[in-house]
Structure formats: C-alpha cells, structure tokens
C-alpha cells in the first residue's frame, strides 16, 4: 500500500455563518502531484490553510506527514512548504535577503550558502540583490517556490502558483514541480486551469466548499457518466442557443471551432442529437469524449441547482 | 491560550534554534528598517522638533506639595509657624522626621519636595530678639513647582508670628522680622527651567518614537500579507516579538545620545550621576515602550488603529507624568494615574540621576516599576498574538 502524506476527514470551516469548507476528506499519497481544482471562492485556500495549521478547522481531523493537524502544527510547519496565493515574501527585501531569512528561520546550517544555491537554482544569480517587490509576476512565483523548497520540505502546498503567469513560465513551473515529485516530495497544488489538471497524478474537484469528485483525470471523467457529442461547422453560435433548450442536453460549450454537447443520460442525449441532426444538415456530428472541463462545469452546475 | 504560551517560553531554553531564529528576525528587521526612509527621517526629526517645541515651557502654581518637618522646638510659636505654612495650601506635611539625614533622604528620593527645619530654642530666640533661622529646603529640580511656594514662606511666617506675639511681647513686633528664613534650593539652585524640561524630554521622545515603531510591527505584516508566510514557518511568537523589538532598542540608543548630549552641551544641564546608569535605565525604559507598542500592534486591526492607540497612550503619559505640569500640582486622581505610567517613573529617574546625582539605590522603586511594566506588556502581547489566521 502507498504511504499517505495527507490524510484528513470531515474538515469543516465556517466564517461567521457561512460554511466555506464542508465535510472535506482528502487522501494524498506520498510522492504524488495532487491537483486541487475549483472555481474562485470554492474553499481551496481555506483548505490548504487548515492543512498547514494556519486555520483551525471547526470540525474534522487528520494528519499531514503523520502529524496531527490539530495538535502538531509546529512539526507540520517544519516539514511543509506553503506557497501562498498572494505573494507573501518581503517586497522590501532583496531576493537574497528573503531567502536568507527563510533559511535562518528554518535553521538551515549555512543560510548564506543555502540562499546562494537557491538563487543559482532559480537562475536569478544576476538579480540576487534586486528587491523582491520589483520582480515580474512569473519571477515572483519562482522566487516564492524557491523559498518554499529551500528548507527541503517533504510536502509542498502550492496555492494557485501559476495564476496570472504567462504560458511559458507556467510550463517551466510545472516541469519544476515534476522534478520535485521525482525527488519524492509530495505536492498538493490548487489551480483553476484545466490543462494543469492533466499534469497531476490525481485531482480533487471542489466547488462551494464541497468536494465533488476525486481520482485520476480518467476516473473523474468516467465517474461523471457524461456523454458528449462534438459538432463542427458554420454558425455554431445560433445552433448552441437552439440545442441548449433541448431535453436530454445538459450542457453546450464552445471549444474553439467546435461545440461540445453533453448530457448525463446517454440515451436521452442520443435521442436529442438524432432529432437535432435531422433538422440540421449543415453541421458535422461526431461522438466524442467529454473533457475534464465539461465534467467540471457540469459538476459545478449540480449543486447550484440543488441550492437554488 | 495562556497555557500554551507558557509552554512555548519554557521550550525556548532547550531549543537551540531559538537564538538563530531570533537572529533571523533581527537581521530581517534591520534591513527593512534601513530601507524605510520615512521611518529613518522620523527618528531624527521627532527629537529635534520636540526639543525646540518644549525646551521652553509651561507655568503653573501647584499646591499641596509633600513636605516634612524637622522640629527641634515644640512651643506655641513653632506650632503657629507650621499651621501658617500648612494654611498656605502649598505644603502638605507628611510626617515629622527625627534627624536631618532622614530629611535629606526623603527629598533625594523624591518622596517629598520640601523639608522645613525649625531650630532648637526657636521660641526663646524669637522672644529674645535673636532672629533664629528657619531652614527651608526645596527640591528645585522642577523650579516651576517650587518657585511660588518659596516666595510665600517668608511673608506667611512673618504674619503668623506677629499675630502670635501680640500681647506682653508686643514690642518685638516693631522690629523688621523676628526671625530669618534660610532657603536652600537643592539640585537646581538657579531655578533654571531647562534643567527640568530637557531631561523630561528624553522620556517624552523615547515614549513617542519607540511606541510608534513597534505599534506597526504586526499590523504591517498582516496588511502586506507577509504574516501568512511568516505564520506558516517554524518561528514562535516570542521569537517574532524579540526580533521586532531588538533593532529599535538600538534606535533608542541613538536618540538617547542625541538628547543627552543636547541636554548637556546645548542646554547646559548637569549630569551629576552615572551616565552608565542613565543609559542603562533609559534602555529599560525604551524597551518597555517598545513592548507597549508591540502589544498595541497585536491588538490593532490595522496600522491606523495601532497609531491611534499609541496616541491615546502617549497623551496621558505626556500630561500626567510630571513632564507637562508639575506632578505634585495635579489633583490626586491624576497623580494616581500618573503613578502607573512608565514615563512618570522614568522622569523621576532621569531628573534624579542628572540633577541629584542619585545612584541606583535611590531609584530602585522606579526601575522596578519600569521592569514590571515591560514584562506585563510583553506577556499581554504574547497572549494576544494570533498564531493563526482564524
Ligand atoms: N478570513 C475569512 N473571513 C471570512 N470569509 C473568508 C475568509 N477567508 C475566506 N473567506 C471566504 O471563504 C470563501 C472561500 O475562500 P477561499 O478558500 O479563499 O477560496 P478559493 O481559494 O478556492 O478561491 C470565499 O467566499 C471567501 O470570501
Ligand atoms: Mg484561493
């Protein structure tokens, strides 16, 4: 059996009367990259904060690296690198000073040397004395990650590390995360980019504080029982409007020059498509695979209907 | 909450990382301090501004100042003199002392402001027309508060005696005055106001600047979002606190040097006591104000609130410590408040060391008050410090 790095059950957190995370359970195997997906405000940051001892859950329990999240947060802090969503290093300290500070706080034996090495790894040697606040978004993220891994944590909690970063920097960032995982570090990374979900070993999807699905990307798609047709051709916009009103079609989503038409009930969807095809000769209709995004959009719709 | 904090403190002694992490905080705070030009300007600007503003100040006429009497005579004339003095409302006779040493000690330690000695065979000498001398010793470190009282003594006593002597000895009345008043203004014989104001300024400037600096310490980290990172690291509240306070103790040193030098070389205030003791106790005072500021920053929701808190703490310190107005001239309730403010005790310490040449033994109580104040403030700060973002 795989070793478990994060094992929590029933985590619940409210602010005032609003429940922001509700009865969340999560198991993250050691050495995996675990994606934590969900729209803004769904409770990702709150969950990560509970995992590293920055917030106390109202109820629920569990462990991080074997340490109890309720009672052993000192140990957790020593072994977990938490990268905040908002840049939280000192903008009025230079890159070097920030890294030396982190190294000293974690008790790294030779802080100057450790900072120098980290700067080298980050490829920031020429800008080591630049103020952290002057860096561009992408470099800030890299610096923040560098600061997180400097004390050699066993677990990384990364909160939307690639938000607002250009695609090239994002790709490099993910390569780095895969390298870290290869070294045996467990990574729990929150994101709302769907393409990044595909780069994770496993994912969990959270919306409105509820964990709605988890597993590998494949498993999540299969669990959804979603069927999809792909339509291509001219004037998709008008067609989409028409299809949305049909019974059996739960979701119509444009993907570039194609339209993804999906439904939870395969039989009902096929019937609707057959009818639509008959009335329309101008488009090409093919049976397709639902994408992760289709699944998530649908998952997100569900609780909305429930709570409406 | 309090239990965990105590455990934390105990844990520090065994934890070898304590110094290293605290040092990390110190280095970081220093760099940030250097980078903040505004703060740097304030550190120099505030003392200079206050020196100019308050170097020349304030006039009042305090009453009911504590005094002791040393009477070596006990006739009706002596009683009449004492009653007359008490009737002026300037003096509040605390007790009778037995010997001059005790009187000196009470005046030096600041417990009383006046000592009045009525010589032996005072009554007989008056009746004989030998013009005996009543000795009035005044603690003139604060010349404003003693000035009017001193000038009142001669006239009041004279009137009292004449009333008492009416009758068989009526012819004594005709002479100019049947006695002399010998006046000793101790510690500031020329009654120079600056001797009083400038040492007090040391305390006022330290109070204001020290508190301002640490009052923003925690709120700033929260507002900039850096607290989230800091709290996720293995650093303890006490390490953060000491790391944030320590650099400013050094700033306090710089301010002390500026003000003490200016007091001595520009305003000519003597330094009779030990400079080392003065600096040591000033450092204690600076640290207790830094602790207060830090406590505010753990309570305040944002930087503005923290600044407001320091202002509201500063105001009573300024007004009720004996700096702005003579301490003994204030109503009793104000004196009671003044007694629990650190500036009150510090002003006594500074005036004591600079003007009276006091040693540590004379200032024990005031030094202990500062220490208690600091420890309580730090304890509160550790209790209030939010270790999570809840
Ligand atoms: N300290 C807080 N006080 C009150 N509400 C909060 C607090 N932190 C987060 N929230 C609310 O909880 C919800 C979930 O927030 P968050 O965990 O940051 O979501 P995500 O990271 O997925 O965007 C949001 O609606 C947010 O406004
Ligand atoms: Mg978030």
């Amino acid at each position: 059996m795989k070793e478990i790095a994060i094992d929590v059950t029933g985590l619940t957190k409210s602010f005032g009367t609003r429940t922001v995370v509700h009865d969340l359970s999560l198991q993250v195997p050691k050495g995996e990259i675990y994606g934590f997906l969900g729209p803004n405000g769904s409770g990702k940051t709150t969950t990560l904060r509970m995992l590293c001892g920055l917030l106390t859950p109202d109820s629920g329990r569990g462990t991080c690296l074997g340490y109890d999240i309720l009672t052993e947060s000192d140990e957790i802090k020593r072994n977990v690198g938490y990268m905040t969503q908002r840049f939280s290093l000192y903008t009025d300290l230079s890159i070097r000073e920030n890294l030396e500070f982190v190294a000293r706080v974690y008790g790294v034996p030779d802080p100057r040397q450790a900072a120098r090495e980290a700067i080298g790894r980050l490829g920031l040697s020429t800008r080591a004395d630049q103020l952290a606040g002057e860096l561009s978004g992408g470099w800030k993220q890299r610096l923040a990650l560098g600061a997180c891994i400097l004390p050699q944590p066993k677990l990384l909690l990364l909160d939307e590390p690639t938000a607002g970063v250009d695609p090239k920097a994002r790709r490099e960032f993910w390569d780095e995360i895969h390298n870290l995982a290869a070294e045996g570090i467990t990574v729990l990374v929150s994101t709302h980019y769907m393409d990044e979900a595909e780069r994770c070993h496993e994912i969990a999807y959270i919306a409105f504080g509820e964990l709605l699905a988890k597993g590998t990307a494949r498993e999540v798609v299969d669990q959804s029982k979603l069927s999809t047709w792909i339509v291509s051709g001219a004037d998709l916009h008008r067609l989409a409007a028409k299809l949305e009103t049909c019974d059996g079609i739960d979701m119509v989503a444009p993907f570039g020059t194609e339209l993804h038409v999906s439904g939870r009930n395969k039989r009902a969807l096929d019937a609707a498509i057959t009818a639509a095809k008959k009335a329309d000769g101008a488009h090409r209709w093919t049976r397709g695979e639902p994408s992760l995004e289709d699944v998530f959009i649908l998952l997100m719709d569900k609780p909305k209907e429930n709570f409406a | 909450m309090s239990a965990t904090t105590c455990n934390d403190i105990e844990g520090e002694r065994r934890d070898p990382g304590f110094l290293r992490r605290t040092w990390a905080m110190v280095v970081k705070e220093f760099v940030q301090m250097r980078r903040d030009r505004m703060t740097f300007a304030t550190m120099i600007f505030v003392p200079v501004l206050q020196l100019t503003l308050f170097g020349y100040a304030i006039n009042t006429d305090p009453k009911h100042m504590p005094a002791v009497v040393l009477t070596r005579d006990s006739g009706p004339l002596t009683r009449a003199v004492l009653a007359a003095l008490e009737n002026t409302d300037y003096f509040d006779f605390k007790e009778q002392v037995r010997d001059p040493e005790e009187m000196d000690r009470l005046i030096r330690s600041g417990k009383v402001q006046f000592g009045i000695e009525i010589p032996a065979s005072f009554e007989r000498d008056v009746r004989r027309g030998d013009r005996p001398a009543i000795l009035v010793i005044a603690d003139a470190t604060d010349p404003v508060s003693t000035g009017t009282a001193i000038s009142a003594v001669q006239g009041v006593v004279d009137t009292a005696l004449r009333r008492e002597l009416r009758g068989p000895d009526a012819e004594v009345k005709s002479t100019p005055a049947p006695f002399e008043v010998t006046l000793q203004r101790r510690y500031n014989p020329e009654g120079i106001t600056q001797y009083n104001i400038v040492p007090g300024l040391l305390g006022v400037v330290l109070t204001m600047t020290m508190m301002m600096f640490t009052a923003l310490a925690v709120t700033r980290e929260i507002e900039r979002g850096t607290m989230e990172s800091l709290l996720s690291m293995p650093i303890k509240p006490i390490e953060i606190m000491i790391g944030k306070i320590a650099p400013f103790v050094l700033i306090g040193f710089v301010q002390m040097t500026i003000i003490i030098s200016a007091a001595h070389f520009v305003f000519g205030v003597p330094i009779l006591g030990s400079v080392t003791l003065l600096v040591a106790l000033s450092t204690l005072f600076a640290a207790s104000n830094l602790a207060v500021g830090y406590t505010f920053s753990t309570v305040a929701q944002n930087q503005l609130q923290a600044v407001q808190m320091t202002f509201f703490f500063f105001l009573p310190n300024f007004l009720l410590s004996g700096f702005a107005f003579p301490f003994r001239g204030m109503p009793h309730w104000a004196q009671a408040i003044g007694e629990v403010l650190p500036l009150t005790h510090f002003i006594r310490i500074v005036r004591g060391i600079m003007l009276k040449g006091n040693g540590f033994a004379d200032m024990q109580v005031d030094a202990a008050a500062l220490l208690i104040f600091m420890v309580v403030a730090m304890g509160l700060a550790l209790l209030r410090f939010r270790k999570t973002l809840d």
Side-chain angles (χ1 to χ4, degrees):
Chain A
M1 201 189 96
K2 268 192 191 168
E3 243 183 291
I4 301 289
I6 299 175
D7 186 5
V8 291
T9 48
L11 288 191
T12 300
K13 181 75 188 175
S14 311
F15 292 111
T17 55
R18 255 188 77 212
T19 302
V20 166
V21 174
H22 182 242
D23 195 20
L24 180 137
S25 300
L26 197 64
Q27 284 74 37
V28 178
K30 197 164 168 288
E32 267 199 7
I33 300 174
Y34 201 100
F36 198 32
L37 285 95
N40 284 330
S42 55
K44 302 185 295 294
T45 301
T46 306
T47 306
L48 294 181
R49 283 174 173 170
M50 285 193 280
L51 292 177
C52 65
L54 280 180
L55 285 176
T56 319
D58 298 338
S59 61
R61 64 201 156 75
T63 58
C64 247
L65 300 168
Y67 300 114
D68 193 306
I69 58 164
L70 298 175
T71 58
E72 296 177 296
S73 60
D74 284 350
E75 288 302 322
I76 291 176
K77 285 174 184 177
R78 238 181 278 280
N79 293 291
V80 173
Y82 170 49
M83 179 172 160
T84 55
Q85 180 171 357
R86 182 180 155 198
F87 185 71
S88 62
L89 292 177
Y90 296 98
T91 51
D92 54 348
L93 292 186
S94 72
I95 293 166
R96 185 199 312 282
E97 287 155 355
N98 266 303
L99 292 170
E100 283 178 2
F101 174 65
V102 172
R104 286 194 188 102
V105 168
Y106 280 89
V108 173
D110 185 350
R112 283 164 182 274
Q113 178 62 19
R116 214 171 6 248
E117 281 169 14
I119 290 166
R121 253 198 323 273
L122 287 167
L124 280 168
S125 299
T126 53
R127 309 160 74 176
D129 294 312
Q130 201 174 335
L131 295 187
E134 293 170 359
L135 291 173
S136 69
W139 281 108
K140 270 191 183 137
Q141 305 294 73
R142 290 188 70 160
L143 172 61
L145 180 65
C148 269
I149 60 177
L150 186 145
Q152 302 182 324
K154 301 190 186 75
L155 168 65
L156 280 178
L157 304 175
L158 310 177
D159 197 0
E160 299 195 21
T162 54
V165 170
D166 68 63
K168 181 167 168 288
R170 255 173 71 190
R171 166 157 300 239
E172 285 167 4
F173 201 93
W174 273 93
D175 289 344
E176 175 72 10
I177 290 176
H178 274 272
N179 291 339
L180 292 167
E183 290 168 21
I185 299 178
T186 312
V187 182
L188 175 59
V189 51
S190 83
T191 178
H192 53 228
Y193 293 118
M194 295 303 152
D195 59 321
E196 293 185 343
E198 319 267 358
R199 303 201 62 172
C200 299
H201 297 121
E202 271 188 77
I203 54 174
Y205 185 77
I206 182 177
F208 312 104
E210 305 266 358
L211 209 144
L212 301 177
K214 56 185 173 183
T216 62
R218 179 80 257 154
E219 283 165 3
V220 169
V221 172
D222 288 349
Q223 281 162 16
S224 73
K225 307 258 188 321
L226 199 66
S227 311
T228 300
W229 282 80
I230 294 169
V231 193
S232 59
D235 210 5
L236 288 172
H237 187 68
R238 188 165 322 155
L239 179 66
K242 220 187 294 170
L243 289 175
E244 247 162 9
T245 59
C246 297
D247 279 341
I249 295 176
D250 293 310
M251 193 178 68
V252 181
F255 274 79
T257 57
E258 295 174 341
L259 214 55
H260 284 208
V261 185
S262 312
R264 270 175 223 122
N265 186 323
K266 188 165 185 293
R267 202 119 38 91
L269 176 71
D270 289 351
I273 295 290
T274 315
K277 242 190 329 195
K278 232 180 259 164
D280 164 283
H283 295 90
R284 255 190 46 173
W285 302 74
T286 46
R287 194 178 280 280
E289 277 289 305
S291 70
L292 210 48
E293 190 159 354
D294 293 324
V295 174
F296 288 155
I297 292 170
L298 195 78
L299 283 172
M300 233 174 87
D301 278 350
K302 248 196 295 194
K304 253 199 225 145
E305 285 164 13
N306 292 348
F307 291 121
Chain B
M1 186 66 202
S2 69
T4 37
T5 314
C6 288
N7 288 340
D8 284 352
I9 295 168
E10 272 173 24
E12 304 316 338
R13 306 222 172 81
R14 275 172 268 119
D15 184 357
F18 171 73
L19 278 180
R20 198 172 38 213
R21 291 187 295 263
T22 306
W23 178 240
M25 261 340 263
V26 170
V27 171
K28 189 213 83 170
E29 289 296 319
F30 247 111
V31 174
Q32 288 185 307
M33 198 168 76
R34 206 183 50 208
R35 206 138 285 158
D36 188 351
R37 275 161 208 274
M38 199 48 210
T39 303
F40 224 80
T42 322
M43 288 181 313
I44 308 303
F45 186 66
V46 169
V48 171
L49 183 76
Q50 296 221 344
L51 274 169
T52 354
L53 272 182
F54 301 114
Y56 314 87
I58 301 169
N59 219 332
T60 47
D61 183 18
K63 300 268 169 83
H64 300 291
M65 289 171 286
V68 281
V69 200
L70 176 62
T71 48
R72 298 165 186 277
D73 190 15
S74 57
L77 269 191
T78 302
R79 283 198 299 279
V81 169
L82 293 181
L85 286 174
E86 196 142 28
N87 275 341
T88 60
D89 281 350
Y90 282 118
F91 308 102
D92 221 352
F93 291 123
K94 291 286 176 210
E95 53 184 311
Q96 294 264 351
V97 290
R98 316 236 165 280
D99 53 282
E101 286 74 34
E102 196 181 348
M103 191 156 84
D104 286 346
R105 193 178 52 74
L106 287 170
I107 296 175
R108 194 173 59 238
S109 69
K111 286 211 176 64
V112 299
Q113 212 154 357
F114 288 93
I116 293 169
E117 184 181 340
I118 305 210
S121 61
F122 174 71
E123 182 146 6
R124 194 195 61 204
D125 291 351
V126 168
R127 291 189 193 279
R128 274 202 204 146
D130 282 354
R131 303 191 35 124
I134 297 176
L135 176 63
V136 176
I137 303 170
D139 173 352
T141 44
D142 184 353
V144 174
S145 66
T146 46
T148 28
I150 288 171
S151 52
V153 171
Q154 177 86 45
V156 167
V157 176
D158 197 21
T159 319
L161 284 183
R162 278 165 205 272
R163 203 182 304 129
E164 190 65 27
L165 291 169
R166 219 174 290 143
D169 300 312
E171 83 280 1
V172 185
K173 226 168 39 171
S174 55
T175 56
F179 64 96
E180 281 174 36
V181 173
T182 312
L183 198 62
Q184 267 188 26
R185 291 174 206 261
R186 291 223 177 138
Y187 315 122
N188 182 6
E190 286 108 66
I192 300 169
T193 315
Q194 278 73 14
Y195 280 20
N196 174 50
I197 299 288
V198 178
L201 259 187
L202 175 58
V204 171
V205 171
L206 283 178
T207 302
M208 211 169 114
T209 52
M210 293 292 108
M211 266 196 316
M212 279 289 196
F213 293 144
T214 42
L216 304 180
V218 173
T219 38
R220 185 170 50 208
E221 297 247 13
I222 291 172
E223 281 183 22
R224 290 188 185 173
T226 51
M227 190 52 98
E228 193 180 355
S229 234
L230 193 58
L231 287 179
S232 75
M233 293 188 208
I235 188 163
K236 305 210 170 73
I238 192 174
E239 295 161 347
I240 295 175
M241 178 174 78
I242 297 176
K244 280 185 170 291
I245 287 179
F248 292 109
V249 173
L250 206 92
I251 298 304
F253 257 93
V254 175
Q255 296 192 332
M256 274 174 231
T257 315
I258 294 176
I259 299 169
I260 294 173
S261 307
H264 191 61
F265 297 111
V266 180
F267 293 96
V269 182
I271 305 178
L272 299 181
S274 143
V275 174
T276 317
L277 181 65
L278 180 59
V279 169
L281 291 178
S282 301
T283 306
L284 175 64
F285 176 68
S288 50
N289 278 303
L290 288 167
V292 174
Y294 188 80
T295 309
F296 288 157
S297 81
T298 59
V299 176
Q301 299 295 322
N302 54 50
Q303 298 197 29
L304 182 66
Q305 262 186 27
V307 171
Q308 287 166 335
M309 285 181 189
T310 62
F311 180 71
F312 289 126
F313 182 74
F314 177 74
L315 214 59
N317 267 283
F318 181 80
L319 294 173
L320 306 180
S321 61
F323 173 74
F325 311 107
F327 191 79
R328 302 297 184 193
M330 300 191 305
H332 285 291
W333 61 266
Q335 289 192 26
I337 297 174
E339 287 292 345
V340 298
L341 298 174
L343 184 57
T344 307
H345 297 280
F346 185 63
I347 283 182
R348 288 178 194 161
I349 287 173
V350 184
R351 287 176 185 167
I353 294 175
M354 290 183 84
L355 303 178
K356 302 181 180 178
N358 281 354
F360 184 70
D362 301 305
M363 320 258 65
Q364 271 171 3
V365 176
D366 296 309
L370 291 184
L371 191 68
I372 291 170
F373 203 87
M374 181 180 78
V375 171
V376 169
M378 286 183 166
L380 272 178
L382 288 178
L383 281 179
R384 283 287 323 184
F385 189 85
R386 287 170 292 243
K387 291 168 80 176
T388 64
L389 302 168
D390 285 292

